[in-house]
Amino acid sequence: MTTPAPKQTESLQESLQQVVRILNRHKLVESLVHKQDMPKQELVETLVHRQNLAELEKKLEQLHPADIAFILEALPLPDRLTVWGLVKSTMEGDILLEVSDSVRETLLADMDREEILAAAGQLDTDELADLAPDLPQNVMSELIGSLEEEERAQLESALSYHDDQVGALMDFDMVTIRDDVTLEVVLRYLRRFNELPHHTDKLFVVDNDHRLKGVLPIKRLLVNDPDKQVAEIVAREVVFFQPDDDVGEAAQAFERYDLVSAPVVDSTHKVIGRLTVDMMVDVIREESEAEVLSLAGLKEEEDLFASVWKSAKNRWPWLAINIVTAVVVSRVIGSFEATTAQIVALAALAPIISGIGGNSGSQTATIIIRAMALGQVTAANTQRLVAKEFGIALLNGILWGTMLGLVALLIYGKLGLGLVMALSMMLNFQVAAAVGLFVPLGMHKLGRDPAFGSSVFLTFMTDGMGNLIFYGLATLLLL
Amino acid sequence: MTTPAPKQTESLQESLQQVVRILNRHKLVESLVHKQDMPKQELVETLVHRQNLAELEKKLEQLHPADIAFILEALPLPDRLTVWGLVKSTMEGDILLEVSDSVRETLLADMDREEILAAAGQLDTDELADLAPDLPQNVMSELIGSLEEEERAQLESALSYHDDQVGALMDFDMVTIRDDVTLEVVLRYLRRFNELPHHTDKLFVVDNDHRLKGVLPIKRLLVNDPDKQVAEIVAREVVFFQPDDDVGEAAQAFERYDLVSAPVVDSTHKVIGRLTVDMMVDVIREESEAEVLSLAGLKEEEDLFASVWKSAKNRWPWLAINIVTAVVVSRVIGSFEATTAQIVALAALAPIISGIGGNSGSQTATIIIRAMALGQVTAANTQRLVAKEFGIALLNGILWGTMLGLVALLIYGKLGLGLVMALSMMLNFQVAAAVGLFVPLGMHKLGRDPAFGSSVFLTFMTDGMGNLIFYGLATLLLL
């Protein structure tokens, strides 16, 4: 399928603005029709009304499905559904694949059974597998029933893997050849295709049992003499994957070896599918977004125009956990009420200790989490990393601790208070390093993703310990 | 150049472990030689010593430059330099391109002028441009002097663009054809190449003045009858870029339209270069890393094994800013000393208000920053987004404010305190929404990247305002 592509990237913003402009005109007309109920007037309005929708429809036809997906995501729900109703049905499947999960939900909710079946019917089995979790059960079983046997097997295979496994993302569309033919034969064979699978930068060379023997890069096919045998120029060293490999690691391999496509083989080395770079780019983007979202405790990508209620629910779990930890920290401070009553200045100074501790800890955690994600933390170098982070914490503790001790001394004119401030700062830098190091390392040991949830626990520890150290030292040394 | 590729991705971890094992053996031998200084003994040791290094050298020869780069990054400095000394000089250029800026610095510091010249001499001009900022000035001028005129012009062009512009990343290696020839002629033309440029998925179709007329996807070249004219099957709708386009937007276009390569044209529409997906993947990865690092206030990617001193300096600017804001917040609290002296409980409760405000604000900011990065925030929908965020803040304020008010009432048994707690929480949720919205929107208006620096200002505002509201209300209502 050839889809019209825009001439330039800037036009995407312009397209969005054009769509919004037509929509606004359309809504203006609608509100006029509502206000005036003369039948004649209504007729005229309806004509204008139709013109607007026709213009919008024409505009949409010129756009790439990915661009329409972008525009749908940027529109509030009523406008989104107006546009969605005008999209050509042949494009609906591709658009559903492109939009985010939350926006897809709003679009599917607007479609009836037949529309969903028609849209899904245009997709390859691997694409269908991506969509499957969001489709109503009855539509899904009807779809499966309508597939041919091979496709059904492919779909079931794709659905049997977890989201983060290669098997769930691979496609089944590929070109395989034997190595005992000439390039001329390969070229003639390719001409029998109406179209080659997207992202075909290499042909997979297999034996009689469909086992992978190597790959023939298209680049080599094109520059070599057609009389040569495939076996002469086949690349035997191949980066390949297995269906239960982790997609994140596959994406890193694509990045590292600059791959465009790579074969997926089963345990007997038979070629069963293919990974392509476009999917890996999506994986990289999604992983990085998940990390940024999770740092702010957002459960998932939010539809920009979801209801207040729905968005609030997305944000509650993290707020709830933070409130619980904040109350615990509050009780730590509360237990030193007698001390605070005597030295009120503590109340003003304590937040500095806990805040800076949190900052320093999150720096350590970020460095460690990154190194772990890249696979660079090994048994051999962990000790060295740990020593380094405690070293930095010591340096920072002495530097900033002394400085803040002096600030406290300057403001309150009490040497003891300055001393407690400096000491607490130094100790809390050590706590922050310990938490920043061992929370991610520990979560990794437990088989959990260290990027998720570290920040809550980290702040809890640096807040709790920071206050405990500060108020504790003050009680010991100043009372 | 064909480089050996690993059979599977898992082997990368294994390779690292093998290298570490050989290095450890090597270091053991070295320490033995140091301890015993019998000349005969020394000789034997040296033999073993040589064997170890030979084994390591052999291991390295089997690895892809990207894998060696990975291993170098995961090794402490002395080991890193041992390995670097054994790397084949023909691979050094590629490896320098792959490692992070901070690790590259340590490698270049270990090379003399001749070595750097040899390594750089193997690179294409676009690759050289990537390396240029890190090379010593005198090496750079010698390199430029050794280039042919065309290459020198290319290098100077690449260096004239900013890092985040397409012109700095494009390569100059591409295949252009005319549209008035048959596919047969094109196929014969391609066979005259020794090798096609990497990532060639389409040929650029140009007129006599080298102006872009369209592209011929290799897919179409392969499936169509060789007697057809290029003009018959050329794709006229092309995604192309200009050298001053933003690379982030180019990467989004690659992602959206699933591109492998795309032409870069100048203002007269002449083809001057090419972007490829492998570079765009690097852009996407780097952007997401920069975002995560900046959230923790890390200036740049850190060499895992940099000295304590160097790493500490990377972390200081953010800590310094945070300390200044923390001291300001501390003064806000300090100004209510009289109130705190009478109601000590305030000291324990205030951190809850400011902490939760910060969390809520960072959720809002994350949503807005993401939407802005995707270009989905428009003049038309900003108002709606703002209304929604304040709505969520109101809902959260009522919900969590009431709950925390009750908690305060329960702990301290004072109705007034519970009321102040609830009210402050509600108000600070509004402050958090305002800051989370308007800081990123404002930075965007000022032409700055909203992802950078928002978090510091956000915490400052929610901490400062949270305490001001809480202590202020307590002073007004409870004294």
Side-chain angles (χ1 to χ4, degrees), chain A residues 23-35 42 44-50 52:
Chain A
L23 277 169
N24 285 342
R25 239 187 292 140
H26 163 71
K27 283 186 284 187
L28 186 68
V29 173
E30 285 215 320
S31 73
L32 283 177
V33 172
H34 267 273
K35 275 182 201 148
E42 210 175 302
V44 178
E45 302 294 355
T46 314
L47 240 167
V48 182
H49 179 258
R50 275 202 206 135
N52 282 332

Side-chain angles (χ1 to χ4, degrees), chain A residues 188-450:
Chain A
R188 265 191 280 128
Y189 172 61
L190 292 180
R191 277 186 207 118
R192 280 164 37 196
F193 283 80
N194 284 321
E195 186 177 39
L196 295 182
H198 70 97
H199 288 83
T200 299
D201 73 320
K202 51 177 75 89
L203 310 176
F204 302 156
V205 180
V206 295
D207 67 12
N208 288 332
D209 294 323
H210 220 251
R211 273 194 283 261
L212 186 66
K213 295 182 73 176
V215 295
L216 175 61
I218 298 285
K219 276 171 57 175
R220 291 199 195 172
L221 173 65
L222 288 173
V223 298
N224 275 284
D225 187 333
D227 293 333
K228 274 194 188 161
Q229 292 273 319
V230 170
E232 290 176 65
I233 61 164
V234 65
R236 302 274 175 202
E237 300 242 31
V238 182
V239 181
F240 62 83
F241 299 93
Q242 296 194 305
D244 51 0
D245 283 347
D246 178 76
V247 289
E249 281 171 24
Q252 283 182 5
F254 265 74
E255 211 178 325
R256 199 175 299 123
Y257 309 124
D258 296 338
L259 302 176
V260 172
S261 74
V264 179
V265 303
D266 66 11
S267 55
T268 64
H269 220 63
K270 272 185 198 153
V271 181
I272 52 171
R274 187 178 71 124
L275 285 185
T276 52
V277 67
D278 53 325
M279 275 173 178
M280 296 301 108
V281 170
D282 292 344
V283 168
I284 293 171
R285 179 72 80 182
E286 275 163 26
E287 282 191 343
S288 82
E289 281 194 353
E291 192 175 352
V292 172
L293 289 176
S294 85
L295 281 173
L298 292 159
K299 261 189 6 190
E300 54 182 35
E301 217 177 337
E302 253 178 49
D303 175 356
L304 262 190
F305 301 98
S307 66
V308 165
W309 184 252
K310 213 170 161 190
S311 295
K313 278 200 294 186
N314 189 29
R315 307 184 191 185
W316 281 347
W318 198 58
L319 286 179
I321 297 172
N322 274 294
I323 283 175
V324 171
T325 61
V327 169
V328 173
V329 172
S330 167
R331 294 315 301 140
V332 171
I333 303 172
S335 69
F336 291 98
E337 211 165 80
T339 311
T340 317
Q342 288 186 54
I343 315 167
V344 182
L346 298 180
L349 293 173
I352 301 180
I353 307 277
S354 55
I356 304 303
N359 290 336
S360 169
S362 80
Q363 291 188 327
T364 299
T366 301
I367 294 282
I368 295 295
I369 288 171
R370 269 202 68 240
M372 284 197 300
L374 295 173
Q376 290 180 332
V377 175
T378 62
N381 64 21
T382 304
Q383 211 184 334
R384 193 181 273 264
L385 288 176
V386 170
K388 183 186 148 194
E389 288 301 322
F390 279 111
I392 296 173
L394 186 65
L395 179 62
N396 277 333
I398 294 172
L399 178 73
W400 303 111
T402 309
M403 195 169 295
L404 284 168
L406 289 173
V407 169
L409 176 62
L410 211 78
I411 296 177
Y412 295 98
K414 288 177 190 159
L415 189 63
L417 200 59
L419 200 72
V420 168
M421 187 75 193
L423 264 178
S424 310
M425 202 70 239
M426 290 173 200
L427 286 174
N428 207 28
F429 263 109
Q430 295 295 318
V431 169
V435 179
L437 282 166
F438 298 122
V439 170
L441 287 172
M443 290 183 80
H444 187 66
K445 268 243 163 100
L446 295 173
R448 299 198 48 188
D449 188 333

